[in-house]
Every structure is written in C-alpha cells, then in structure tokens.
C-alpha cells in the first residue's frame, strides 16, 4: 500500500425479490492509504458510530476526492466540505471525526499517543 493510496467507486444493481419493488443501485468505495482515510472522514463509519458529514455517503466522498493528487488537496477538499456544512465549527468537527477514524500508530518518547492533527502546509 502506498502512503497516499487511492479510492474507487463501485456500483451494483440490487434486484429485490419482491416484484412490487424496483431495482436500485448501491455504491461502495474501496481504497487504501490517506485518500481512503479522507473518504472515511466524509462518509463516517457506522460500525464504529462515527457519523462523518451528515447526509454524505460513498458517492459524495468519491466526487469530492476523486481528482485529489496529494494529501494537501484531500485535506483542503474535506475541510471545505466541513466548513460548508458547519461554518466556523467545521475545522473542529473535522478534527474530532478524523481523530476517531485515525489508527494511532505512534507514541511520543514519554509514551503519549500521537493523535491526528490537521496537516500544516
């Protein structure tokens, strides 16, 4: 897995067994690396009770991030989406969601966990 990674959007049609119901499409993002992490910041993670952006799911995350070529572009795109939804609270709300999603991998020399922070660029 490369550090930045990538995302792809997969679509499938579900045909209900009930003949009164119409077929419908289901979308799923698959990916890895930082780009997938930023997609999760938008989509949230219902298994872990992390809401992400209200009303945003796979299609929204993909459309926001598909053309991003680096972490800086992903961060800006996701932060803009949070600010558009939450105004001045958007940056803090994104920080909270990202910290819930980030897998802590490092500790300081004093043994404190290194939490996710907004990148500085």
């Amino acid at each position: 897995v490369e550090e930045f990674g990538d995302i792809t959007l997969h679509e499938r049609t579900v045909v209900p067994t009930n003949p009164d119901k119409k077929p419908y499409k289901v979308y799923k993002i698959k990916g890895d690396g930082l780009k997938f992490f930023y997609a999760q910041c938008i989509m949230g993670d219902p298994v872990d009770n992390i809401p992400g952006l209200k009303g945003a799911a796979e299609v929204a995350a993909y459309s926001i991030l598909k053309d991003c070529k680096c972490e800086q572009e992903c961060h800006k795109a996701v932060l803009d989406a949070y600010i558009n939804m939450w105004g001045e609270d958007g940056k803090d709300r994104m920080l909270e969601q990202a910290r819930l999603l980030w897998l802590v991998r490092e500790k300081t020399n004093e043994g404190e966990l290194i939490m996710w922070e907004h990148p500085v660029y």
Side-chain angles (χ1 to χ4, degrees):
V1 175
E2 292 185 28
E3 184 175 325
F4 180 63
D6 202 7
I7 56 173
T8 55
L9 184 66
H10 299 266
E11 171 188 313
R12 68 181 175 92
T13 301
V14 175
V15 179
T17 56
N18 182 340
D20 295 334
K21 298 195 177 202
K22 295 181 180 183
Y24 57 94
K25 296 192 182 302
V26 175
Y27 299 91
K28 178 82 173 158
I29 279 189
K30 294 186 180 182
D32 55 41
L34 288 170
K35 198 166 190 178
F36 184 70
F37 165 72
Y38 281 102
Q40 285 184 303
C41 289
I42 296 168
M43 301 179 304
D45 186 345
V47 171
D48 291 327
N49 202 24
I50 301 169
L53 279 175
K54 184 176 182 179
E58 281 85 353
V59 174
Y62 183 78
S63 66
I64 290 169
L65 297 170
K66 66 181 175 166
D67 295 325
C68 295
K69 304 287 186 238
C70 63
E71 182 180 11
Q72 181 177 350
E73 290 178 8
C74 286
H75 178 259
K76 182 178 180 339
V78 175
L79 182 57
D80 287 349
Y82 270 82
I83 289 171
N84 285 339
M85 178 170 282
W86 297 106
E88 63 184 56
D89 291 337
K91 188 171 184 178
D92 290 337
R93 287 182 180 258
M94 180 183 170
L95 179 65
E96 175 187 59
Q97 297 300 297
R99 283 183 170 177
L100 291 170
L101 291 161
W102 188 253
L103 298 177
V104 175
R105 300 173 184 96
E106 298 178 74
K107 294 181 181 181
T108 65
N109 290 338
E110 294 77 32
E112 294 181 33
L113 299 177
I114 298 176
M115 303 298 289
W116 186 87
E117 294 290 340
H118 288 282
V120 178
Y121 38 86

